[in-house]
Amino acid sequence: MRNFKILKSLTAAGVALLAFAPGIASAAVEPETAFILNSFSFIINGALVMWMAAGFAMLEAGLVRKKNTATICLKNIALYSVSGLTFYVVGYNLMYLDVTGFIGSFSPFWSADDSAALAGTFDEGSYSASSDWFFQMVFVATAASIVSGALAERIKLWPFLGFVFLLTAIVYPIQGSWVWGGGWLSEMGFSDYAGSTLVHSVGGWAALTGAIILGARKGKYTKDGRVAPIPGSNLPLATLGTFILWLGWFGFNGGSVLSMGTAEAVIEMANVFANTNMAAVGGVLAAMVMTQILYKKVDLTMALNGAIAGLVSITAEPADPTIGMAIMIGAVGGVLVVIAVPLLDKLKIDDVVGAISAHLVAGIWGTIAVVFSDADATLFVQATGIVSIGAFVVVTSTILWLALKYTVGIRVNEEDEVNGLDKAELGLEAYPEFGPSS
Amino acid sequence: MRNFKILKSLTAAGVALLAFAPGIASAAVEPETAFILNSFSFIINGALVMWMAAGFAMLEAGLVRKKNTATICLKNIALYSVSGLTFYVVGYNLMYLDVTGFIGSFSPFWSADDSAALAGTFDEGSYSASSDWFFQMVFVATAASIVSGALAERIKLWPFLGFVFLLTAIVYPIQGSWVWGGGWLSEMGFSDYAGSTLVHSVGGWAALTGAIILGARKGKYTKDGRVAPIPGSNLPLATLGTFILWLGWFGFNGGSVLSMGTAEAVIEMANVFANTNMAAVGGVLAAMVMTQILYKKVDLTMALNGAIAGLVSITAEPADPTIGMAIMIGAVGGVLVVIAVPLLDKLKIDDVVGAISAHLVAGIWGTIAVVFSDADATLFVQATGIVSIGAFVVVTSTILWLALKYTVGIRVNEEDEVNGLDKAELGLEAYPEFGPSS
Amino acid sequence: MRNFKILKSLTAAGVALLAFAPGIASAAVEPETAFILNSFSFIINGALVMWMAAGFAMLEAGLVRKKNTATICLKNIALYSVSGLTFYVVGYNLMYLDVTGFIGSFSPFWSADDSAALAGTFDEGSYSASSDWFFQMVFVATAASIVSGALAERIKLWPFLGFVFLLTAIVYPIQGSWVWGGGWLSEMGFSDYAGSTLVHSVGGWAALTGAIILGARKGKYTKDGRVAPIPGSNLPLATLGTFILWLGWFGFNGGSVLSMGTAEAVIEMANVFANTNMAAVGGVLAAMVMTQILYKKVDLTMALNGAIAGLVSITAEPADPTIGMAIMIGAVGGVLVVIAVPLLDKLKIDDVVGAISAHLVAGIWGTIAVVFSDADATLFVQATGIVSIGAFVVVTSTILWLALKYTVGIRVNEEDEVNGLDKAELGLEAYPEFGPSS
């Protein structure tokens, strides 16, 4: 600690010298430094978003039955991999390159170009090409992750991955180009900061059409109209998955500032971190209170879904609200999920993990809630975005699901469903020493 | 790689030009850059601290019995949420705003003010308001997390959360204001870098009073004076929880440098990372050797608690010790936890996860150990801090526990305890397909 | 958002002033800022590498049987601790201090020296001493982690830790000095960016010699030449472990840029993140396709090992390949692991988790693959590095294993192996309430 004083006096000397050149002293961040900070924000926040893949895997592994656990683990690591491949081959350019209103470029195989920066030219807000690509790639994987949970326990592995391939190669990038690619919805003023609609609702719509076309799990809805509860097999894993998603969401929303090279950007990023955190808090507490009131007991899985719904709700605008508003926005999300889960069951739409409620319903709410804190957002434009993207995804994913259904088939046979997908599709068990899978 | 040379020569040119203005070249980090780095340190390290909530959840889920696992998961996500809410509503201002020796402001609803930075004024060491708030918020959640593990398997959910509400709204912020808020202990020279006392002992004292008032789990202490071991149900989860805490602790101690905008700060932060890591190493090895000597076997849960005790021990001063000292400080913590756990059992104080031993005992040790590396710290002042904060928390939390006990009640009834809290409080099971819960 | 404009105009003013001193405006990052960024890269990426210890622990805990789960958890936290201690006591200096071709200094007890930086002198590319030490320490732990999985379920605890002690104190640092310490292989031009050979193959060779000397698990290879599958007990944990490793690998490879204080460095780091991610993607997809073709089913554990093999493969050169090349390099790694696992079984080398296939085989491949993207690398030099380091580690670790075998013994007795190491070595069970361990 002795050297502290030396440094201090040197600093003082430096400051004194700078007094003769105040304009330089108060200048903005040096351009190359800003470039570094912008790029680093993308990769470190992107790594947190990649971590969400583990969160979805654990959440879903905890909420399915033992006999389908290994399969859902495989689906999650596979869908992440498929998403990455397609986004490299076609997705990124379709979403971001030469977007002409409704679609980008079909030019395949994205490649990095950092020549300007390497030549010493740093435009305001610029960053390394790969850092941006990496950050965008982990987003498309998130959208795909939402689908796997809803359709668990009865969908075939390879057809599911086929859907993921087409969702991430075509459906996600095209609608993404409308907003983040600078297309027509962006020009109209539609605002979706980190993807309540573009990521979460898209995954939710694809899951909804899939759940309807695929049908419910055997035994979920009895002939006399009852809903048979099928409890998740490993709730600590589901809890872990939720905490992982919560942590990853700091990167998801925080990285969506898209820069960190100015004081304004880091102030915004800090607001995003705090609001993201507190929306999840609101979602948890609202879901707990709701289930206590409705069912006289607190439901752990609803509390977990409340956290996720809170996170989804704030994702469309995590920067502008005050912390109090963020808590409220998240809490409404938490309430909605408690209402939506039994409602879907009434409609006999079987969503194994509550993904449609947490991602689609809360995603719509979050996109609307932008109008409360962003004066430039209007209810009409926000609704236009929700409806147009929703319609596009419903139509395209319905076509894809039906095409898969009537060609390769999407559902395992009844015997395999009863015995579990792990035995049927993988030929192994997730917990071979923990007694028979029921 | 070709462009490398271009960049190099540009750099050389820049350096040559700068040679004419050496005062500027050797000036400290440009103020806005420092502001960005300071703020970013808070949010990225704060995210790691948030992750500790998952660590506590997994550690505790692994160390309770199957029948109480879902409940402890719920308590952990709920206590984090309650802590966040109260810290926003009242805690932060009570701890940091206009502290007058013994308490801050009761002004409710913290709000961010970044006007100076947004106007281009960057005081030395300044940072975004939300970044600091977020970092402080995750600390209060950590203190609350410590309580849940000790009192697991017999405390009622809502009364527990009621205690958390009052602990995080009043008890934690008031004692926190004495040191980190600049109050009387701070003026006296009490030194607690990242909270061996302010966070870990506070949680530990609240757990201790709770454990005494709540009483031991049924069957833990038999009438003939024996201690019945109640093994944890899922040790890999407990191991995972410990690793999560270890990772999160880099943020806990590292972010407590409170800045990253100078070379000195980042040197200090790196020392903190290295020392934090090595204190945990010392704690693990000491606990392993101790249990091998005492019991002729190595106890995994003791090794895990050794890691935590090592981390708690270094938390009061992770910057100044050499790595060798950090190992020793952590090792003593590891030894203490091996001694303290059976000692508490002798006193019939039932701490399910060893939280009192790892956080309170090691927290006291760590606060004392500051005198070995910080010449400005004295044993008298350190002891004054330990005792005064200890007395305050013991008195207030005793009052709170007793008030809760004689109003709403804090303990589940005997039948519910035997059947497990998951069925009684949540109406579900954590592992419904893994055989009956005993 | 109102203040945005104020900031903008201030920025514009600053830029205008700077126009009079363009040399200064376009100068490289201010030296102290670069020092901060370089140091921060080491500690944040190093923390991610520390997290890989949890990944190995979960992967291995998921792939052993119930009765050996607690022991493998203990081994993982213990080996990390032993590695840290030895690297402080002797390893770091042996690897990096005064390296004279084949070995560094035996001077014990590394200590930090930041006097230059604290005096305000920042050489190009400089960083805080502890940040570098911490980053190097977590690498040696990774090498040791590879060994524990291969030898699980039959090796004694303390002799295993004795091997780890000697591996991390002597074997790893000496060969490390040949390349990263600037020794003879480095001078020859051998290229191993983040340690396909120096870390992963080293761990793999030590595991291979250990597996041969230790012998297979009882019942693994039957007398009639069949290989009895011994399935892992908890595949979601193994999946989690793989995701943790994947995340940690961003730090492993990304931090190996060794700086972040220039645009070039952060561009390189972003390329490393993207390539690391996509090599894992390639490994997963290749292993899935391979197992589908060979076995008509997709094997989850092979997909997980495919991810790891992909990551190991890209580790020798994650910066230079295009994303397409990175996918291919990882995919070859994934193919190799699917071939190597049954091959080792044919040779009756019992590797519980597939560590030798994923780390050694893919490590060799990755080191060779450097020649495809780095024009300065030659097959001859790469092979020289692979062979010389391989020979050194095989010889030294064989000596160590044999010395341990014929003194303290390395294998538990048959009864303990049947009953499980948890009962024999720790006196407890990992899952005491989940039915008998078989």
Side-chain angles (χ1 to χ4, degrees):
Chain A
M1 299 296 272
R2 190 80 27 106
N3 290 311
F4 181 74
K5 273 159 208 141
I6 300 171
L7 183 75
K8 284 284 179 187
S9 59
L10 280 171
T11 306
V15 170
L17 273 164
L18 284 167
F20 295 95
I24 293 167
S26 71
V29 178
E30 186 276 325
E32 186 173 354
T33 302
F35 179 90
I36 294 170
L37 294 170
N38 294 339
S39 304
F40 181 68
S41 166
F42 274 139
I43 60 176
I44 197 75
N45 282 305
L48 287 175
V49 182
M50 174 272 158
W51 184 226
M52 291 172 72
F56 282 107
M58 292 303 106
L59 178 68
E60 296 171 19
L63 292 181
V64 301
R65 284 166 289 180
K66 270 163 85 176
K67 64 185 178 187
N68 299 314
T69 301
T71 306
I72 204 74
C73 288
L74 179 65
K75 277 178 189 152
N76 272 280
I77 199 163
L79 73 84
Y80 181 90
S81 301
V82 169
S83 304
L85 186 67
T86 55
F87 206 63
Y88 162 66
V89 174
V90 55
Y92 185 92
N93 283 349
L94 205 49
M95 187 156 164
Y96 288 108
L97 188 65
D98 306 330
V99 173
T100 56
F102 290 87
I103 197 160
S105 161
F106 277 96
S107 157
F109 302 113
W110 176 86
S111 65
D113 178 6
D114 289 305
S115 50
L118 289 169
T121 306
F122 304 104
D123 291 338
E124 205 185 318
S126 66
Y127 39 76
S128 106
S130 292
S131 71
D132 168 51
W133 184 84
F134 175 65
F135 189 71
Q136 300 303 336
M137 185 257 125
V138 289
F139 270 63
V140 67
T142 302
S145 291
I146 294 161
V147 185
S148 66
L151 309 183
E153 304 207 300
R154 75 268 202 205
I155 196 167
K156 280 187 196 170
L157 174 62
W158 287 107
F160 168 74
L161 293 178
F163 180 83
V164 168
F165 183 88
L166 297 163
L167 178 77
T168 59
I170 299 169
V171 180
Y172 175 89
I174 289 178
Q175 61 89 32
S177 77
W178 300 353
V179 186
W180 294 343
W184 72 278
L185 272 171
S186 161
E187 278 168 19
M188 205 178 169
F190 178 67
S191 176
D192 188 7
Y193 199 91
S196 285
T197 288
L198 266 75
V199 179
H200 294 278
S201 293
V202 165
W205 289 118
L208 178 64
T209 57
I212 292 169
I213 292 166
L214 187 62
R217 285 168 295 172
K218 202 176 135 61
K220 175 72 185 172
Y221 306 112
T222 63
K223 282 181 187 161
D224 56 339
R226 277 193 325 111
V227 179
I230 304 182
S233 57
N234 196 328
L235 297 192
L237 273 198
T239 305
L240 175 65
T242 304
F243 273 117
I244 293 174
L245 289 170
W246 193 320
L247 175 61
W249 229 289
F250 293 127
F252 196 91
N253 289 353
S256 294
V257 176
L258 305 182
S259 66
M260 200 172 74
T262 61
E264 199 208 5
V266 85
I267 287 167
E268 185 168 320
M269 195 180 292
N271 290 343
V272 168
F273 269 60
N275 282 339
T276 299
N277 189 57
M278 296 311 286
V281 160
V284 169
L285 295 176
M288 284 180 64
V289 170
M290 280 288 286
T291 53
Q292 178 70 36
I293 291 168
L294 291 178
Y295 308 116
K296 311 291 174 223
K297 297 206 188 268
V298 179
D299 187 318
L300 171 60
T301 60
M302 279 295 181
L304 302 180
N305 267 326
I308 297 168
L311 291 162
V312 172
S313 300
I314 201 69
T315 293
E317 183 46 75
D320 285 350
T322 63
I323 285 186
M325 280 181 70
I327 296 171
M328 292 308 300
I329 289 168
V332 173
V335 168
L336 287 173
V337 88
V338 174
I339 295 168
V341 165
L343 198 68
L344 282 172
D345 269 336
K346 268 206 185 115
L347 298 168
K348 302 201 180 185
I349 296 167
D350 184 13
D351 175 356
V352 177
V353 303
I356 298 166
S357 304
H359 295 274
L360 175 55
V361 176
I364 292 171
W365 153 244
T367 309
I368 292 168
V370 175
V371 301
F372 299 131
S373 63
D374 180 352
D376 295 334
T378 70
L379 190 58
F380 173 75
V381 173
Q382 294 302 99
T384 303
I386 293 166
V387 170
S388 60
I389 288 176
F392 174 71
V393 178
V394 166
V395 169
T396 50
S397 62
T398 299
I399 293 169
L400 296 177
W401 285 125
L402 289 175
L404 287 164
K405 179 173 179 172
Y406 293 111
T407 54
V408 293
I410 54 176
R411 183 155 185 153
V412 299
N413 67 46
E414 210 168 294
E415 193 189 333
D416 286 350
E417 188 177 342
V418 171
N419 293 335
L421 274 62
D422 289 2
K423 274 184 208 158
E425 298 258 282
L426 309 189
L428 51 73
E429 288 177 79
Y431 306 102
E433 299 182 66
F434 289 84
S437 295
S438 57
Chain B
M1 299 297 272
R2 190 78 27 105
N3 290 310
F4 180 67
K5 275 158 208 143
I6 299 172
L7 183 74
K8 284 284 180 188
S9 59
L10 279 170
T11 306
V15 169
L17 272 163
L18 283 167
F20 296 96
I24 292 167
S26 71
V29 179
E30 186 276 324
E32 186 174 354
T33 303
F35 178 90
I36 294 170
L37 293 170
N38 294 339
S39 304
F40 181 67
S41 166
F42 274 139
I43 60 177
I44 198 74
N45 282 306
L48 287 176
V49 182
M50 175 271 158
W51 184 226
M52 291 171 72
F56 283 107
M58 292 303 106
L59 178 68
E60 297 172 17
L63 292 181
V64 300
R65 283 166 290 179
K66 270 162 85 177
K67 64 185 177 185
N68 299 313
T69 302
T71 305
I72 204 73
C73 288
L74 178 65
K75 277 178 190 153
N76 272 280
I77 199 164
L79 73 83
Y80 181 91
S81 301
V82 168
S83 303
L85 185 67
T86 56
F87 207 62
Y88 161 66
V89 174
V90 55
Y92 185 92
N93 283 350
L94 204 50
M95 187 156 163
Y96 288 107
L97 188 64
D98 306 330
V99 173
T100 56
F102 290 86
I103 197 161
S105 162
F106 277 96
S107 156
F109 303 114
W110 175 85
S111 66
D113 178 6
D114 290 304
S115 50
L118 290 169
T121 306
F122 303 105
D123 291 336
E124 205 186 317
S126 65
Y127 40 76
S128 105
S130 292
S131 70
D132 168 51
W133 184 84
F134 175 63
F135 188 71
Q136 301 302 337
M137 185 257 125
V138 289
F139 270 63
V140 66
T142 303
S145 291
I146 294 161
V147 185
S148 64
L151 309 184
E153 304 207 298
R154 75 270 203 205
I155 197 167
K156 281 187 194 169
L157 174 62
W158 288 107
F160 169 74
L161 293 178
F163 180 82
V164 168
F165 183 88
L166 296 163
L167 178 77
T168 59
I170 299 170
V171 178
Y172 176 89
I174 289 178
Q175 60 89 32
S177 76
W178 300 352
V179 185
W180 294 344
W184 71 279
L185 273 171
S186 161
E187 279 168 19
M188 205 175 168
F190 179 66
S191 175
D192 188 6
Y193 198 92
S196 284
T197 287
L198 267 74
V199 179
H200 294 279
S201 293
V202 165
W205 289 117
L208 178 65
T209 57
I212 292 170
I213 292 166
L214 187 62
R217 286 168 292 172
K218 204 176 133 61
K220 176 71 183 170
Y221 305 112
T222 62
K223 282 181 188 163
D224 57 339
R226 278 193 324 109
V227 179
I230 304 181
S233 56
N234 196 328
L235 296 192
L237 273 198
T239 305
L240 175 66
T242 304
F243 274 117
I244 294 175
L245 289 170
W246 193 322
L247 174 62
W249 229 288
F250 293 127
F252 197 91
N253 289 354
S256 294
V257 176
L258 306 181
S259 66
M260 202 171 74
T262 62
E264 198 208 6
V266 86
I267 287 168
E268 184 168 321
M269 197 181 291
N271 291 343
V272 169
F273 269 61
N275 283 337
T276 298
N277 189 57
M278 296 310 286
V281 161
V284 169
L285 295 176
M288 284 180 65
V289 170
M290 279 288 284
T291 52
Q292 179 69 36
I293 291 170
L294 291 178
Y295 307 118
K296 312 292 173 222
K297 297 205 187 266
V298 179
D299 186 319
L300 171 60
T301 59
M302 278 297 179
L304 302 179
N305 267 324
I308 297 168
L311 291 162
V312 171
S313 300
I314 201 68
T315 293
E317 183 48 76
D320 285 349
T322 62
I323 285 186
M325 280 181 70
I327 295 171
M328 291 308 300
I329 289 167
V332 172
V335 169
L336 287 174
V337 88
V338 175
I339 295 169
V341 165
L343 198 69
L344 282 172
D345 269 338
K346 268 207 185 117
L347 299 168
K348 302 202 178 183
I349 296 168
D350 184 13
D351 175 356
V352 177
V353 303
I356 298 166
S357 304
H359 295 275
L360 175 55
V361 176
I364 292 171
W365 154 244
T367 308
I368 292 168
V370 174
V371 301
F372 298 131
S373 63
D374 180 351
D376 295 334
T378 69
L379 190 58
F380 173 74
V381 172
Q382 294 303 98
T384 303
I386 293 166
V387 171
S388 58
I389 288 175
F392 174 70
V393 178
V394 166
V395 169
T396 50
S397 63
T398 300
I399 293 168
L400 296 178
W401 284 126
L402 290 176
L404 287 164
K405 179 173 180 174
Y406 293 112
T407 53
V408 293
I410 53 176
R411 182 154 186 155
V412 299
N413 67 47
E414 211 168 294
E415 194 189 334
D416 286 351
E417 189 177 341
V418 170
N419 292 335
L421 273 62
D422 290 2
K423 274 183 205 159
E425 298 257 284
L426 309 189
L428 50 73
E429 287 178 79
Y431 306 103
E433 297 182 68
F434 289 84
S437 294
S438 56
Chain C
M1 300 296 272
R2 189 79 28 104
N3 290 310
F4 181 74
K5 274 158 209 142
I6 299 171
L7 182 76
K8 284 284 180 190
S9 59
L10 280 172
T11 306
V15 170
L17 273 165
L18 284 168
F20 295 95
I24 293 167
S26 71
V29 178
E30 186 277 324
E32 186 174 353
T33 303
F35 179 91
I36 294 170
L37 294 169
N38 293 340
S39 304
F40 182 68
S41 166
F42 274 139
I43 60 176
I44 197 75
N45 282 305
L48 287 175
V49 182
M50 174 271 157
W51 185 226
M52 291 172 72
F56 283 107
M58 292 302 106
L59 178 68
E60 297 172 17
L63 292 181
V64 300
R65 284 166 290 180
K66 271 163 85 176
K67 63 185 177 185
N68 299 313
T69 302
T71 305
I72 204 73
C73 289
L74 179 65
K75 278 178 190 151
N76 273 279
I77 199 164
L79 73 84
Y80 182 90
S81 301
V82 169
S83 304
L85 186 67
T86 56
F87 207 63
Y88 161 67
V89 174
V90 56
Y92 185 92
N93 283 349
L94 205 49
M95 186 158 166
Y96 288 108
L97 188 65
D98 305 331
V99 173
T100 56
F102 290 86
I103 197 161
S105 161
F106 277 97
S107 157
F109 303 114
W110 176 85
S111 66
D113 178 6
D114 289 305
S115 50
L118 290 169
T121 306
F122 304 104
D123 291 338
E124 206 186 317
S126 65
Y127 39 75
S128 106
S130 292
S131 71
D132 168 51
W133 184 84
F134 175 65
F135 189 71
Q136 300 302 338
M137 185 256 124
V138 289
F139 270 62
V140 65
T142 302
S145 291
I146 293 161
V147 185
S148 65
L151 309 184
E153 304 207 301
R154 75 270 202 204
I155 196 167
K156 281 186 195 170
L157 174 63
W158 288 106
F160 169 74
L161 293 178
F163 181 83
V164 168
F165 183 88
L166 296 163
L167 178 77
T168 59
I170 299 170
V171 180
Y172 176 88
I174 289 178
Q175 60 90 32
S177 77
W178 301 352
V179 187
W180 294 344
W184 71 278
L185 274 171
S186 161
E187 278 167 20
M188 204 176 169
F190 178 66
S191 177
D192 189 6
Y193 199 92
S196 285
T197 288
L198 267 74
V199 179
H200 294 279
S201 294
V202 165
W205 289 119
L208 178 65
T209 57
I212 292 170
I213 292 166
L214 187 62
R217 285 169 293 172
K218 204 177 132 62
K220 175 71 185 172
Y221 305 113
T222 63
K223 283 182 187 163
D224 57 338
R226 279 193 323 109
V227 178
I230 304 182
S233 56
N234 196 327
L235 296 192
L237 274 198
T239 306
L240 176 65
T242 304
F243 274 118
I244 293 175
L245 289 170
W246 193 322
L247 174 62
W249 229 290
F250 293 127
F252 197 90
N253 289 354
S256 294
V257 176
L258 305 181
S259 66
M260 200 172 75
T262 63
E264 199 210 6
V266 85
I267 286 167
E268 185 169 321
M269 196 181 293
N271 291 344
V272 169
F273 269 61
N275 283 339
T276 299
N277 189 57
M278 296 311 286
V281 160
V284 169
L285 295 175
M288 284 179 65
V289 170
M290 280 287 285
T291 53
Q292 178 70 37
I293 290 168
L294 291 178
Y295 308 116
K296 311 292 173 223
K297 299 209 186 263
V298 180
D299 187 317
L300 171 60
T301 60
M302 279 295 180
L304 302 180
N305 267 325
I308 297 169
L311 291 162
V312 171
S313 302
I314 200 68
T315 293
E317 183 47 78
D320 285 349
T322 63
I323 285 186
M325 280 181 70
I327 295 171
M328 291 307 300
I329 289 168
V332 172
V335 169
L336 287 174
V337 87
V338 174
I339 295 168
V341 165
L343 199 68
L344 281 172
D345 269 336
K346 267 203 187 122
L347 299 169
K348 304 204 178 181
I349 295 168
D350 184 14
D351 175 356
V352 178
V353 303
I356 298 166
S357 304
H359 294 275
L360 175 55
V361 177
I364 292 171
W365 154 243
T367 308
I368 292 168
V370 175
V371 302
F372 299 131
S373 64
D374 180 353
D376 295 334
T378 70
L379 190 58
F380 173 74
V381 173
Q382 294 303 98
T384 303
I386 293 167
V387 171
S388 58
I389 288 175
F392 174 70
V393 178
V394 166
V395 170
T396 50
S397 62
T398 299
I399 293 169
L400 296 178
W401 285 125
L402 290 176
L404 287 164
K405 180 173 178 173
Y406 293 111
T407 53
V408 293
I410 54 176
R411 183 156 184 153
V412 299
N413 66 48
E414 211 168 292
E415 193 189 334
D416 286 352
E417 188 177 342
V418 171
N419 291 334
L421 274 61
D422 290 3
K423 273 184 207 159
E425 298 257 283
L426 309 189
L428 50 72
E429 289 178 77
Y431 306 103
E433 299 182 66
F434 289 84
S437 294
S438 57

